[in-house]
Structure formats: structure tokens, C-alpha cells
């Protein structure tokens, strides 16, 4: 296996939807919810397909479990709750979250409770990529190219979002990162991806 690089440091956002945000009854007056925030569902980026791997040791949950917050639409100024715990189960990122009781958070809570808001998004940083070429298999044989696989990645926040884009998990996938609409330059997003290249690569 040829190693071209290990880290990118680029912040990405991926959104999902689920049938419903599951309220955990009997906890904090019903203000706790269990959500799915990530999966291995392929996602089409401008440069190709992407998969977030959920195998053992692929996802570093340390940061999100220690200091992770729940935001609304990835807005750092709209903290609406906290992440009680996050874990990996059956190839998905799962979390138990609780919503705050201030006025702004209460509005979001009521929409979650009624089912109006069902979208969840995760913000994450990828440390290690594996690039799988067309017609080839990933190093573990699980995925077929062409695809870029996030072998090591770190979620840093979970957002309740209003615009769904991927109908496979928790409370959507946003077509563009929220920072782009706030004037962040294109260079911030066009990062130099450093990859672990598929061992079956032909020359």
C-alpha cells in the first residue's frame, strides 16, 4: 500500500434524515433525543464519491463526547443543546442529545418534538483517506471504486438542520457548507486531499 499522506485538516459537513428523531421518554422531561448522525452511505462531492468508514477505530469520538455541542444549522452562535454521549452502532454514528430550555432552543425543541424538524448533520475532519480507483476494491474489500474513503475521521459537532439531502439517517445533508454562504474563500474548500492509495492500483 502506497502512502501519499495522512492528514487534511479540512472541515466538512454531511447531513442525514431519519424517519423521526426518537424522544427518550422519562429523561429530562422528554428533552432528550436519540439520533443517527452518520453512516457509510456514499455521498457525492464535487470531486467524486465519499464514504465515511465506521469500522473499529475509524471514528474518534473523544472530542464530541468531551466538548461536543448541538447547533442549529451549523451556526456556532446558535447552541441549542449538548451531546450526552455518542457511539458507533451497526455502522452508524448514534448520539443521545438534550435540548436546552432558553427561548431560542425551545423553538427548535418544539419543532423536533412535533416532527417538523427531522434533519441532522455532522461536522467532521478527516485525518486519513483511502482512494479506490474505478473497478478496484478497497484494502479491506468492503467498497468498490471509484470512491474516497475516510479511514480516520473526527466528528466535532452535531446540528439540527432544516434542509435535508440524504434520506438515510438522523435529524440531512447540506448541498453547500454553511461557511461558504458567509463569504469564506473558495480556497478554504478546495483543499489538497492527502490519500492512502488503493493497494491494487495499476500503473
Amino acid at each position: 500500500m502506497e502512502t501519499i499522506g495522512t492528514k487534511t485538516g479540512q472541515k466538512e459537513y454531511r447531513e442525514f434524515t431519519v424517519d423521526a428523531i426518537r424522544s427518550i421518554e422519562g429523561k429530562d422531561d422528554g428533552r432528550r433525543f436519540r439520533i443517527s448522525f452518520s453512516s457509510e452511505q456514499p455521498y457525492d462531492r464535487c470531486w467524486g464519491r465519499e464514504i465515511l468508514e465506521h469500522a473499529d477505530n475509524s471514528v474518534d469520538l473523544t472530542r464530541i463526547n468531551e466538548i461536543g455541542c448541538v447547533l442549529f444549522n451549523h451556526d456556532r452562535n446558535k447552541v441549542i443543546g449538548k451531546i450526552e454521549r455518542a457511539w458507533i452502532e451497526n455502522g452508524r454514528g448514534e448520539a443521545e442529545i438534550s435540548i436546552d430550555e432558553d427561548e431560542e432552543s425551545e423553538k427548535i425543541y418544539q419543532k423536533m418534538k412535533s416532527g417538523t424538524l427531522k434533519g441532522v448533520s455532522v461536522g467532521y475532519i478527516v485525518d486519513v483517506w483511502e482512494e479506490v480507483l474505478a473497478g478496484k476494491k478497497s484494502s479491506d474489500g468492503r467498497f468498490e471504486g471509484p470512491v474516497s474513503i475516510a479511514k480516520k475521521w473526527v466528528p466535532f459537532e452535531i446540528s439540527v438542520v432544516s434542509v435535508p439531502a440524504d434520506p438515510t439517517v438522523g435529524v440531512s445533508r447540506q448541498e453547500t457548507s454553511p461557511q461558504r454562504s458567509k463569504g469564506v474563500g473558495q480556497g478554504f474548500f478546495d483543499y489538497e486531499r492527502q490519500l492512502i492509495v488503493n493497494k491494487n492500483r495499476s500503473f
Side-chain angles (χ1 to χ4, degrees), residues 49 130-138 143-148 195-203:
R49 282 197 311 155
E130 179 181 358
E131 181 76 5
V132 184
L133 302 181
K136 301 295 183 178
K137 292 282 189 179
S138 60
F143 307 108
E144 184 173 348
V147 67
S148 296
L195 308 170
I196 292 179
V197 178
N198 180 23
K199 65 180 179 181
N200 296 320
R201 179 176 181 175
S202 57
F203 294 90

